[in-house]
Amino acid sequence: GDSVTQMEGPVTLSEEAFLTINCTYTATGYPSLFWYVQYPGEGLQLLLKATKADDKGSNKGFEATYRKETTSFHLEKGSVQVSDSAVYFCALSLYYGNNRLAFGKGNQVVVIP
Amino acid sequence: NAGVTQTPKFRVLKTGQSMTLLCAQDMNHEYMYWYRQDPGMGLRLIHYSVGEGTTAKGEVPDGYNVSRLKKQNFLLGLESAAPSQTSVYFCASSHGQGVNNEQFFGPGTRLTVL
C-alpha cells in the first residue's frame, strides 16, 4: 500500500547548521506530498506542500522538492534556529483517497544553541 | 476562528471505563478525521468522515466508534478502554477532496488507560 518512509532516529544539530530530513514514498497514483511540523505540546501544522513532480514547496526557510524519479521529498533548511526544534512528519495524500494522509514516523529535531 | 478544538485535553481512565472525545471545527469543513499518535509509530488514522451523517474506518478502528451527527462535530468513543489505547489523539478537518487540500489539526487529547 501507499506509505512514507523517513530516516531513522532523532536529529541533533547546532544553531545555524544545515538540516536535511530524508523522506521517500511508495504510491500507486500521483500523490500530493506534505511536511507537517509538531511543536512541543501542540498539534500538527502544515509546513509546506507540493502537488506535482518537480514542484518545490517552501516556508519559513524550509524547502522540499517533489522528485518523482527518486520518489523523494527531502526537507532542507540552510540555517536552523533553536525555535526549529520540533517533530517533522512527511505525509502523502491521494487525490482519490478521501484526502486521507499517510504519515511517516516523524523525526525529532533538536537544535542546540 | 478557533479552528479545530478538542475536549478534553487530558484524561485518565481505568480499564473497562468508557469515554467520548469531542472534536469541533468552525471552518465549515466537510471532512473530519481521528488519529492516534504513539511513540515511533507516527500518526495512524482511526476513523474518518466525508460529511455529516457519514463515517468510515481507517487503519486502526478496532475498539473505537465515531459519530458525525452535526457537520461541525466529530465524536470518538471508547466503549471499554484498554491500556493499549493509551495514546495522544488528534482530530483534523479539511474542506474535502482535492490535490490542494490541507488538513487542520486540533491540539490533541492525551489519554492514559490504567
Side-chain angles (χ1 to χ4, degrees):
Chain A
D2 300 333
S3 65
V4 173
T5 301
Q6 290 183 235
M7 52 192 281
E8 292 288 329
V11 178
T12 302
L13 60 169
S14 299
E15 206 166 20
E16 298 184 2
F18 185 88
L19 171 68
T20 300
I21 304 176
N22 290 340
C23 170
T24 57
Y25 68 89
T26 302
T28 55
Y30 299 95
S32 295
L33 300 173
F34 305 82
W35 277 100
Y36 279 81
V37 59
Q38 183 181 29
Y39 297 104
E42 299 183 8
L44 280 71
Q45 54 186 276
L46 181 66
L47 180 60
L48 53 84
K49 64 185 178 185
T51 59
K52 61 183 187 297
D54 300 324
D55 268 3
K56 178 186 283 188
S58 60
N59 186 25
K60 298 182 181 179
F62 290 88
E63 291 184 341
T65 301
Y66 189 162
R67 301 283 188 201
K68 188 178 177 183
E69 63 277 11
T70 55
T71 61
S72 65
F73 193 54
H74 304 323
L75 183 68
E76 296 181 337
K77 186 173 185 182
S79 177
V80 294
Q81 305 300 313
V82 173
S83 57
D84 294 323
S85 297
V87 181
Y88 293 82
F89 293 93
C90 186
L92 67 82
S93 173
L94 285 186
Y95 188 90
Y96 294 109
N98 288 325
N99 202 37
R100 282 172 291 170
L101 291 178
F103 284 91
K105 294 184 178 181
N107 286 103
Q108 174 83 50
V109 172
V110 177
V111 180
I112 300 170
Chain B
N1 285 352
V4 179
T5 58
Q6 293 182 230
T7 308
K9 288 185 169 50
F10 303 93
R11 187 72 185 268
V12 178
L13 290 179
K14 294 181 179 178
T15 297
Q17 287 185 318
S18 63
M19 77 163 294
T20 300
L21 281 67
L22 171 63
C23 176
Q25 53 93 5
D26 61 3
M27 296 174 282
N28 201 34
H29 284 169
E30 289 294 332
Y31 287 42
M32 297 187 74
Y33 312 82
W34 275 109
Y35 295 90
R36 60 177 289 171
Q37 182 181 28
D38 302 292
M41 300 290 290
L43 271 78
R44 293 180 291 170
L45 183 64
I46 304 171
H47 286 281
Y48 65 100
S49 168
V50 301
E52 182 179 317
T54 73
T55 63
K57 294 181 179 179
E59 294 176 72
V60 289
D62 293 343
Y64 305 95
N65 56 76
V66 288
S67 63
R68 184 98 181 269
L69 298 179
K70 294 183 179 181
K71 186 177 184 179
Q72 64 268 32
N73 295 338
F74 195 30
L75 278 62
L76 177 71
L78 287 72
E79 290 187 349
S80 179
S84 61
Q85 294 178 305
T86 293
S87 188
V88 181
Y89 292 86
F90 288 100
C91 177
S93 70
S94 67
H95 262 296
Q97 200 160 304
V99 294
N100 292 316
N101 242 323
E102 172 186 351
Q103 288 191 17
F104 294 81
F105 284 79
T109 295
R110 184 173 295 276
L111 174 66
T112 301
V113 182
L114 303 175

mmCIF file of all heavy atoms in Angstrom, chain A residues 9-56:
data_model
loop_
_atom_site.group_PDB
_atom_site.id
_atom_site.type_symbol
_atom_site.label_atom_id
_atom_site.label_comp_id
_atom_site.label_asym_id
_atom_site.label_seq_id
_atom_site.Cartn_x
_atom_site.Cartn_y
_atom_site.Cartn_z
ATOM 1 N N GLY A 9 15.643 7.786 13.577
ATOM 2 C CA GLY A 9 16.329 8.453 14.677
ATOM 3 C C GLY A 9 16.150 9.953 14.761
ATOM 4 O O GLY A 9 15.786 10.606 13.783
ATOM 5 N N PRO A 10 16.389 10.505 15.954
ATOM 6 C CA PRO A 10 16.342 11.957 16.125
ATOM 7 C C PRO A 10 17.529 12.623 15.438
ATOM 8 O O PRO A 10 18.530 11.973 15.132
ATOM 9 C CB PRO A 10 16.409 12.124 17.645
ATOM 10 C CG PRO A 10 17.130 10.915 18.125
ATOM 11 C CD PRO A 10 16.759 9.807 17.188
ATOM 12 N N VAL A 11 17.376 13.913 15.245
ATOM 13 C CA VAL A 11 18.431 14.714 14.627
ATOM 14 C C VAL A 11 18.813 15.812 15.607
ATOM 15 O O VAL A 11 17.950 16.597 16.024
ATOM 16 C CB VAL A 11 17.955 15.335 13.300
ATOM 17 C CG1 VAL A 11 19.046 16.209 12.698
ATOM 18 C CG2 VAL A 11 17.523 14.255 12.324
ATOM 19 N N THR A 12 20.060 15.848 15.985
ATOM 20 C CA THR A 12 20.558 16.891 16.888
ATOM 21 C C THR A 12 21.621 17.680 16.158
ATOM 22 O O THR A 12 22.551 17.102 15.588
ATOM 23 C CB THR A 12 21.146 16.280 18.168
ATOM 24 O OG1 THR A 12 20.140 15.491 18.810
ATOM 25 C CG2 THR A 12 21.586 17.385 19.129
ATOM 26 N N LEU A 13 21.470 18.997 16.162
ATOM 27 C CA LEU A 13 22.450 19.831 15.470
ATOM 28 C C LEU A 13 22.547 21.187 16.138
ATOM 29 O O LEU A 13 21.688 21.569 16.939
ATOM 30 C CB LEU A 13 22.111 19.966 13.982
ATOM 31 C CG LEU A 13 20.801 20.564 13.525
ATOM 32 C CD1 LEU A 13 20.855 20.809 12.020
ATOM 33 C CD2 LEU A 13 19.625 19.651 13.823
ATOM 34 N N SER A 14 23.600 21.892 15.808
ATOM 35 C CA SER A 14 23.862 23.197 16.404
ATOM 36 C C SER A 14 23.135 24.287 15.627
ATOM 37 O O SER A 14 22.825 24.130 14.430
ATOM 38 C CB SER A 14 25.360 23.488 16.407
ATOM 39 O OG SER A 14 26.060 22.528 17.173
ATOM 40 N N GLU A 15 22.864 25.370 16.314
ATOM 41 C CA GLU A 15 22.236 26.530 15.665
ATOM 42 C C GLU A 15 23.068 26.952 14.454
ATOM 43 O O GLU A 15 24.300 26.894 14.474
ATOM 44 C CB GLU A 15 22.147 27.676 16.666
ATOM 45 C CG GLU A 15 21.045 28.665 16.388
ATOM 46 C CD GLU A 15 20.764 29.580 17.577
ATOM 47 O OE1 GLU A 15 21.637 29.711 18.460
ATOM 48 O OE2 GLU A 15 19.660 30.147 17.626
ATOM 49 N N GLU A 16 22.379 27.339 13.401
ATOM 50 C CA GLU A 16 22.942 27.785 12.126
ATOM 51 C C GLU A 16 23.471 26.637 11.266
ATOM 52 O O GLU A 16 24.001 26.886 10.176
ATOM 53 C CB GLU A 16 24.036 28.842 12.324
ATOM 54 C CG GLU A 16 23.507 30.112 12.998
ATOM 55 C CD GLU A 16 24.557 31.199 13.119
ATOM 56 O OE1 GLU A 16 25.685 30.982 12.657
ATOM 57 O OE2 GLU A 16 24.221 32.253 13.671
ATOM 58 N N ALA A 17 23.325 25.417 11.712
ATOM 59 C CA ALA A 17 23.731 24.272 10.892
ATOM 60 C C ALA A 17 22.709 24.025 9.788
ATOM 61 O O ALA A 17 21.575 24.522 9.828
ATOM 62 C CB ALA A 17 23.896 23.028 11.757
ATOM 63 N N PHE A 18 23.123 23.196 8.814
ATOM 64 C CA PHE A 18 22.248 22.806 7.705
ATOM 65 C C PHE A 18 21.471 21.559 8.092
ATOM 66 O O PHE A 18 22.021 20.599 8.612
ATOM 67 C CB PHE A 18 23.100 22.527 6.456
ATOM 68 C CG PHE A 18 22.291 22.236 5.229
ATOM 69 C CD1 PHE A 18 21.863 23.270 4.414
ATOM 70 C CD2 PHE A 18 21.959 20.933 4.878
ATOM 71 C CE1 PHE A 18 21.113 23.013 3.271
ATOM 72 C CE2 PHE A 18 21.207 20.661 3.741
ATOM 73 C CZ PHE A 18 20.786 21.704 2.941
ATOM 74 N N LEU A 19 20.174 21.601 7.823
ATOM 75 C CA LEU A 19 19.305 20.478 8.184
ATOM 76 C C LEU A 19 18.784 19.779 6.939
ATOM 77 O O LEU A 19 18.312 20.440 5.999
ATOM 78 C CB LEU A 19 18.114 20.975 9.000
ATOM 79 C CG LEU A 19 16.995 19.955 9.269
ATOM 80 C CD1 LEU A 19 17.474 18.856 10.210
ATOM 81 C CD2 LEU A 19 15.760 20.644 9.842
ATOM 82 N N THR A 20 18.878 18.457 6.942
ATOM 83 C CA THR A 20 18.220 17.629 5.923
ATOM 84 C C THR A 20 17.503 16.494 6.620
ATOM 85 O O THR A 20 18.086 15.813 7.474
ATOM 86 C CB THR A 20 19.226 17.017 4.928
ATOM 87 O OG1 THR A 20 19.926 18.045 4.252
ATOM 88 C CG2 THR A 20 18.494 16.157 3.902
ATOM 89 N N ILE A 21 16.242 16.296 6.258
ATOM 90 C CA ILE A 21 15.491 15.129 6.731
ATOM 91 C C ILE A 21 14.996 14.400 5.486
ATOM 92 O O ILE A 21 14.299 14.982 4.652
ATOM 93 C CB ILE A 21 14.289 15.513 7.607
ATOM 94 C CG1 ILE A 21 14.723 16.376 8.781
ATOM 95 C CG2 ILE A 21 13.595 14.245 8.115
ATOM 96 C CD1 ILE A 21 13.556 16.876 9.628
ATOM 97 N N ASN A 22 15.365 13.138 5.378
ATOM 98 C CA ASN A 22 15.001 12.373 4.190
ATOM 99 C C ASN A 22 13.599 11.803 4.282
ATOM 100 O O ASN A 22 13.159 11.352 5.348
ATOM 101 C CB ASN A 22 15.987 11.232 3.970
ATOM 102 C CG ASN A 22 17.349 11.729 3.551
ATOM 103 O OD1 ASN A 22 17.491 12.849 3.079
ATOM 104 N ND2 ASN A 22 18.361 10.903 3.716
ATOM 105 N N CYS A 23 12.912 11.803 3.136
ATOM 106 C CA CYS A 23 11.578 11.233 3.042
ATOM 107 C C CYS A 23 11.445 10.579 1.677
ATOM 108 O O CYS A 23 11.691 11.222 0.652
ATOM 109 C CB CYS A 23 10.515 12.309 3.207
ATOM 110 S SG CYS A 23 8.830 11.750 2.836
ATOM 111 N N THR A 24 11.076 9.316 1.655
ATOM 112 C CA THR A 24 10.758 8.637 0.402
ATOM 113 C C THR A 24 9.369 8.049 0.514
ATOM 114 O O THR A 24 8.867 7.818 1.619
ATOM 115 C CB THR A 24 11.767 7.518 0.073
ATOM 116 O OG1 THR A 24 11.787 6.588 1.162
ATOM 117 C CG2 THR A 24 13.162 8.081 -0.148
ATOM 118 N N TYR A 25 8.746 7.820 -0.631
ATOM 119 C CA TYR A 25 7.366 7.357 -0.591
ATOM 120 C C TYR A 25 7.126 6.238 -1.587
ATOM 121 O O TYR A 25 7.887 6.065 -2.551
ATOM 122 C CB TYR A 25 6.413 8.518 -0.867
ATOM 123 C CG TYR A 25 6.480 9.058 -2.279
ATOM 124 C CD1 TYR A 25 5.688 8.520 -3.289
ATOM 125 C CD2 TYR A 25 7.346 10.094 -2.598
ATOM 126 C CE1 TYR A 25 5.759 8.994 -4.584
ATOM 127 C CE2 TYR A 25 7.426 10.580 -3.887
ATOM 128 C CZ TYR A 25 6.634 10.032 -4.874
ATOM 129 O OH TYR A 25 6.722 10.511 -6.155
ATOM 130 N N THR A 26 6.068 5.500 -1.338
ATOM 131 C CA THR A 26 5.564 4.494 -2.258
ATOM 132 C C THR A 26 4.091 4.783 -2.478
ATOM 133 O O THR A 26 3.337 4.909 -1.508
ATOM 134 C CB THR A 26 5.717 3.071 -1.674
ATOM 135 O OG1 THR A 26 7.082 2.824 -1.385
ATOM 136 C CG2 THR A 26 5.205 2.025 -2.650
ATOM 137 N N ALA A 27 3.685 4.925 -3.736
ATOM 138 C CA ALA A 27 2.285 5.240 -4.028
ATOM 139 C C ALA A 27 1.933 4.722 -5.410
ATOM 140 O O ALA A 27 2.762 4.724 -6.316
ATOM 141 C CB ALA A 27 2.032 6.738 -3.938
ATOM 142 N N THR A 28 0.697 4.319 -5.578
ATOM 143 C CA THR A 28 0.253 3.814 -6.867
ATOM 144 C C THR A 28 -0.238 4.921 -7.782
ATOM 145 O O THR A 28 -0.268 4.770 -8.971
ATOM 146 C CB THR A 28 -0.872 2.791 -6.690
ATOM 147 O OG1 THR A 28 -1.919 3.390 -5.916
ATOM 148 C CG2 THR A 28 -0.377 1.549 -5.977
ATOM 149 N N GLY A 29 -0.624 6.038 -7.211
ATOM 150 C CA GLY A 29 -1.147 7.125 -8.028
ATOM 151 C C GLY A 29 -0.166 8.271 -8.117
ATOM 152 O O GLY A 29 1.041 8.089 -8.201
ATOM 153 N N TYR A 30 -0.697 9.470 -8.093
ATOM 154 C CA TYR A 30 0.110 10.693 -8.175
ATOM 155 C C TYR A 30 -0.182 11.539 -6.942
ATOM 156 O O TYR A 30 -1.015 12.439 -6.979
ATOM 157 C CB TYR A 30 -0.230 11.453 -9.454
ATOM 158 C CG TYR A 30 0.051 10.644 -10.693
ATOM 159 C CD1 TYR A 30 -0.959 9.905 -11.295
ATOM 160 C CD2 TYR A 30 1.328 10.577 -11.231
ATOM 161 C CE1 TYR A 30 -0.712 9.132 -12.418
ATOM 162 C CE2 TYR A 30 1.588 9.810 -12.351
ATOM 163 C CZ TYR A 30 0.571 9.084 -12.938
ATOM 164 O OH TYR A 30 0.818 8.323 -14.033
ATOM 165 N N PRO A 31 0.501 11.221 -5.847
ATOM 166 C CA PRO A 31 0.143 11.863 -4.578
ATOM 167 C C PRO A 31 0.578 13.311 -4.483
ATOM 168 O O PRO A 31 1.520 13.736 -5.161
ATOM 169 C CB PRO A 31 0.914 11.024 -3.557
ATOM 170 C CG PRO A 31 2.117 10.548 -4.298
ATOM 171 C CD PRO A 31 1.642 10.301 -5.704
ATOM 172 N N SER A 32 -0.095 14.037 -3.638
ATOM 173 C CA SER A 32 0.439 15.297 -3.130
ATOM 174 C C SER A 32 1.306 14.958 -1.923
ATOM 175 O O SER A 32 1.057 13.984 -1.219
ATOM 176 C CB SER A 32 -0.701 16.223 -2.692
ATOM 177 O OG SER A 32 -1.490 16.591 -3.794
ATOM 178 N N LEU A 33 2.328 15.748 -1.709
ATOM 179 C CA LEU A 33 3.283 15.485 -0.628
ATOM 180 C C LEU A 33 3.328 16.669 0.321
ATOM 181 O O LEU A 33 3.221 17.827 -0.105
ATOM 182 C CB LEU A 33 4.673 15.204 -1.208
ATOM 183 C CG LEU A 33 4.759 14.014 -2.149
ATOM 184 C CD1 LEU A 33 6.144 13.929 -2.787
ATOM 185 C CD2 LEU A 33 4.444 12.713 -1.410
ATOM 186 N N PHE A 34 3.494 16.359 1.595
ATOM 187 C CA PHE A 34 3.426 17.377 2.640
ATOM 188 C C PHE A 34 4.538 17.168 3.669
ATOM 189 O O PHE A 34 4.980 16.045 3.906
ATOM 190 C CB PHE A 34 2.091 17.282 3.402
ATOM 191 C CG PHE A 34 0.860 17.344 2.545
ATOM 192 C CD1 PHE A 34 0.393 16.213 1.900
ATOM 193 C CD2 PHE A 34 0.169 18.531 2.394
ATOM 194 C CE1 PHE A 34 -0.755 16.259 1.115
ATOM 195 C CE2 PHE A 34 -0.975 18.587 1.611
ATOM 196 C CZ PHE A 34 -1.425 17.458 0.974
ATOM 197 N N TRP A 35 4.939 18.266 4.270
ATOM 198 C CA TRP A 35 5.676 18.220 5.519
ATOM 199 C C TRP A 35 4.859 18.940 6.578
ATOM 200 O O TRP A 35 4.435 20.088 6.375
ATOM 201 C CB TRP A 35 7.045 18.883 5.388
ATOM 202 C CG TRP A 35 8.090 17.983 4.808
ATOM 203 C CD1 TRP A 35 8.551 17.953 3.519
ATOM 204 C CD2 TRP A 35 8.818 16.958 5.506
ATOM 205 N NE1 TRP A 35 9.499 16.978 3.377
ATOM 206 C CE2 TRP A 35 9.697 16.351 4.578
ATOM 207 C CE3 TRP A 35 8.818 16.499 6.821
ATOM 208 C CZ2 TRP A 35 10.559 15.317 4.931
ATOM 209 C CZ3 TRP A 35 9.671 15.469 7.166
ATOM 210 C CH2 TRP A 35 10.535 14.883 6.226
ATOM 211 N N TYR A 36 4.620 18.235 7.684
ATOM 212 C CA TYR A 36 3.956 18.819 8.834
ATOM 213 C C TYR A 36 4.964 18.947 9.961
ATOM 214 O O TYR A 36 5.883 18.123 10.092
ATOM 215 C CB TYR A 36 2.789 17.936 9.305
ATOM 216 C CG TYR A 36 1.519 18.109 8.520
ATOM 217 C CD1 TYR A 36 1.341 17.476 7.293
ATOM 218 C CD2 TYR A 36 0.489 18.918 8.996
ATOM 219 C CE1 TYR A 36 0.173 17.637 6.573
ATOM 220 C CE2 TYR A 36 -0.682 19.079 8.281
ATOM 221 C CZ TYR A 36 -0.838 18.446 7.068
ATOM 222 O OH TYR A 36 -2.000 18.610 6.356
ATOM 223 N N VAL A 37 4.754 19.960 10.817
ATOM 224 C CA VAL A 37 5.632 20.163 11.964
ATOM 225 C C VAL A 37 4.788 20.148 13.232
ATOM 226 O O VAL A 37 3.659 20.644 13.246
ATOM 227 C CB VAL A 37 6.438 21.484 11.834
ATOM 228 C CG1 VAL A 37 5.524 22.697 11.714
ATOM 229 C CG2 VAL A 37 7.387 21.645 13.004
ATOM 230 N N GLN A 38 5.338 19.543 14.275
ATOM 231 C CA GLN A 38 4.654 19.489 15.566
ATOM 232 C C GLN A 38 5.580 20.048 16.622
ATOM 233 O O GLN A 38 6.594 19.439 16.979
ATOM 234 C CB GLN A 38 4.267 18.052 15.906
ATOM 235 C CG GLN A 38 3.480 17.915 17.194
ATOM 236 C CD GLN A 38 3.120 16.476 17.520
ATOM 237 O OE1 GLN A 38 3.839 15.550 17.156
ATOM 238 N NE2 GLN A 38 2.003 16.278 18.211
ATOM 239 N N TYR A 39 5.229 21.220 17.145
ATOM 240 C CA TYR A 39 5.997 21.827 18.232
ATOM 241 C C TYR A 39 5.558 21.189 19.552
ATOM 242 O O TYR A 39 4.436 20.670 19.657
ATOM 243 C CB TYR A 39 5.802 23.331 18.240
ATOM 244 C CG TYR A 39 6.314 23.988 16.978
ATOM 245 C CD1 TYR A 39 5.442 24.437 15.991
ATOM 246 C CD2 TYR A 39 7.683 24.143 16.758
ATOM 247 C CE1 TYR A 39 5.909 25.012 14.828
ATOM 248 C CE2 TYR A 39 8.156 24.718 15.591
ATOM 249 C CZ TYR A 39 7.269 25.145 14.626
ATOM 250 O OH TYR A 39 7.734 25.710 13.475
ATOM 251 N N PRO A 40 6.419 21.231 20.553
ATOM 252 C CA PRO A 40 6.118 20.547 21.822
ATOM 253 C C PRO A 40 4.748 20.906 22.379
ATOM 254 O O PRO A 40 4.411 22.082 22.516
ATOM 255 C CB PRO A 40 7.253 21.022 22.730
ATOM 256 C CG PRO A 40 8.387 21.320 21.801
ATOM 257 C CD PRO A 40 7.748 21.871 20.562
ATOM 258 N N GLY A 41 3.971 19.885 22.685
ATOM 259 C CA GLY A 41 2.674 20.088 23.307
ATOM 260 C C GLY A 41 1.574 20.573 22.384
ATOM 261 O O GLY A 41 0.485 20.932 22.847
ATOM 262 N N GLU A 42 1.837 20.590 21.090
ATOM 263 C CA GLU A 42 0.844 21.113 20.141
ATOM 264 C C GLU A 42 0.438 20.064 19.115
ATOM 265 O O GLU A 42 1.031 18.992 19.020
ATOM 266 C CB GLU A 42 1.400 22.339 19.422
ATOM 267 C CG GLU A 42 1.733 23.494 20.345
ATOM 268 C CD GLU A 42 2.213 24.721 19.574
ATOM 269 O OE1 GLU A 42 2.139 24.714 18.331
ATOM 270 O OE2 GLU A 42 2.648 25.674 20.230
ATOM 271 N N GLY A 43 -0.588 20.401 18.339
ATOM 272 C CA GLY A 43 -0.980 19.557 17.222
ATOM 273 C C GLY A 43 -0.087 19.806 16.019
ATOM 274 O O GLY A 43 0.810 20.652 16.057
ATOM 275 N N LEU A 44 -0.330 19.063 14.958
ATOM 276 C CA LEU A 44 0.468 19.231 13.748
ATOM 277 C C LEU A 44 -0.003 20.450 12.971
ATOM 278 O O LEU A 44 -1.196 20.774 12.957
ATOM 279 C CB LEU A 44 0.328 17.994 12.853
ATOM 280 C CG LEU A 44 1.163 16.775 13.201
ATOM 281 C CD1 LEU A 44 0.666 16.109 14.468
ATOM 282 C CD2 LEU A 44 1.161 15.788 12.049
ATOM 283 N N GLN A 45 0.917 21.077 12.303
ATOM 284 C CA GLN A 45 0.552 22.161 11.400
ATOM 285 C C GLN A 45 1.339 22.011 10.102
ATOM 286 O O GLN A 45 2.482 21.564 10.112
ATOM 287 C CB GLN A 45 0.783 23.535 12.037
ATOM 288 C CG GLN A 45 2.171 23.774 12.584
ATOM 289 C CD GLN A 45 2.267 25.097 13.309
ATOM 290 O OE1 GLN A 45 2.467 26.143 12.708
ATOM 291 N NE2 GLN A 45 2.120 25.054 14.623
ATOM 292 N N LEU A 46 0.691 22.398 9.022
ATOM 293 C CA LEU A 46 1.318 22.246 7.713
ATOM 294 C C LEU A 46 2.518 23.180 7.596
ATOM 295 O O LEU A 46 2.421 24.373 7.872
ATOM 296 C CB LEU A 46 0.310 22.561 6.619
ATOM 297 C CG LEU A 46 0.819 22.418 5.198
ATOM 298 C CD1 LEU A 46 1.133 20.962 4.878
ATOM 299 C CD2 LEU A 46 -0.199 22.971 4.197
ATOM 300 N N LEU A 47 3.645 22.633 7.185
ATOM 301 C CA LEU A 47 4.850 23.434 6.962
ATOM 302 C C LEU A 47 4.967 23.801 5.480
ATOM 303 O O LEU A 47 5.171 24.960 5.136
ATOM 304 C CB LEU A 47 6.080 22.652 7.407
ATOM 305 C CG LEU A 47 7.427 23.343 7.247
ATOM 306 C CD1 LEU A 47 7.488 24.640 8.034
ATOM 307 C CD2 LEU A 47 8.561 22.407 7.663
ATOM 308 N N LEU A 48 4.844 22.812 4.605
ATOM 309 C CA LEU A 48 4.879 23.075 3.173
ATOM 310 C C LEU A 48 4.306 21.881 2.421
ATOM 311 O O LEU A 48 4.129 20.804 3.002
ATOM 312 C CB LEU A 48 6.309 23.385 2.692
ATOM 313 C CG LEU A 48 7.417 22.384 3.037
ATOM 314 C CD1 LEU A 48 7.459 21.242 2.028
ATOM 315 C CD2 LEU A 48 8.768 23.076 3.089
ATOM 316 N N LYS A 49 4.040 22.099 1.141
ATOM 317 C CA LYS A 49 3.453 21.021 0.353
ATOM 318 C C LYS A 49 3.860 21.158 -1.109
ATOM 319 O O LYS A 49 4.310 22.226 -1.549
ATOM 320 C CB LYS A 49 1.932 21.036 0.468
ATOM 321 C CG LYS A 49 1.291 22.291 -0.098
ATOM 322 C CD LYS A 49 -0.217 22.289 0.152
ATOM 323 C CE LYS A 49 -0.853 23.572 -0.358
ATOM 324 N NZ LYS A 49 -2.295 23.652 -0.010
ATOM 325 N N ALA A 50 3.686 20.074 -1.861
ATOM 326 C CA ALA A 50 3.919 20.072 -3.310
ATOM 327 C C ALA A 50 2.927 19.113 -3.935
ATOM 328 O O ALA A 50 2.671 18.031 -3.391
ATOM 329 C CB ALA A 50 5.347 19.649 -3.632
ATOM 330 N N THR A 51 2.339 19.497 -5.038
ATOM 331 C CA THR A 51 1.246 18.712 -5.594
ATOM 332 C C THR A 51 1.604 17.968 -6.871
ATOM 333 O O THR A 51 0.842 17.107 -7.297
ATOM 334 C CB THR A 51 0.034 19.596 -5.878
ATOM 335 O OG1 THR A 51 0.429 20.622 -6.798
ATOM 336 C CG2 THR A 51 -0.477 20.236 -4.601
ATOM 337 N N LYS A 52 2.752 18.266 -7.478
ATOM 338 C CA LYS A 52 3.132 17.513 -8.677
ATOM 339 C C LYS A 52 4.647 17.482 -8.803
ATOM 340 O O LYS A 52 5.364 18.239 -8.145
ATOM 341 C CB LYS A 52 2.507 18.136 -9.921
ATOM 342 C CG LYS A 52 2.896 19.551 -10.208
ATOM 343 C CD LYS A 52 2.152 20.061 -11.437
ATOM 344 C CE LYS A 52 2.631 21.430 -11.857
ATOM 345 N NZ LYS A 52 2.378 22.453 -10.849
ATOM 346 N N ALA A 53 5.115 16.595 -9.660
ATOM 347 C CA ALA A 53 6.553 16.378 -9.837
ATOM 348 C C ALA A 53 7.276 17.683 -10.163
ATOM 349 O O ALA A 53 6.768 18.511 -10.929
ATOM 350 C CB ALA A 53 6.784 15.353 -10.934
ATOM 351 N N ASP A 54 8.437 17.849 -9.531
ATOM 352 C CA ASP A 54 9.331 18.995 -9.707
ATOM 353 C C ASP A 54 8.855 20.252 -8.995
ATOM 354 O O ASP A 54 9.573 21.254 -9.008
ATOM 355 C CB ASP A 54 9.598 19.299 -11.178
ATOM 356 C CG ASP A 54 10.237 18.124 -11.894
ATOM 357 O OD1 ASP A 54 11.049 17.426 -11.261
ATOM 358 O OD2 ASP A 54 9.907 17.899 -13.070
ATOM 359 N N ASP A 55 7.691 20.206 -8.380
ATOM 360 C CA ASP A 55 7.253 21.340 -7.557
ATOM 361 C C ASP A 55 8.173 21.476 -6.361
ATOM 362 O O ASP A 55 8.626 20.492 -5.786
ATOM 363 C CB ASP A 55 5.827 21.108 -7.041
ATOM 364 C CG ASP A 55 4.776 21.677 -7.959
ATOM 365 O OD1 ASP A 55 5.131 22.214 -9.029
ATOM 366 O OD2 ASP A 55 3.588 21.577 -7.593
ATOM 367 N N LYS A 56 8.424 22.714 -5.946
ATOM 368 C CA LYS A 56 9.171 22.968 -4.717
ATOM 369 C C LYS A 56 8.251 23.669 -3.743
ATOM 370 O O LYS A 56 7.705 24.729 -4.063
ATOM 371 C CB LYS A 56 10.406 23.821 -4.998
ATOM 372 C CG LYS A 56 11.196 24.163 -3.733
ATOM 373 C CD LYS A 56 12.343 25.120 -4.012
ATOM 374 C CE LYS A 56 13.499 24.413 -4.659
ATOM 375 N NZ LYS A 56 14.707 25.294 -4.769
#
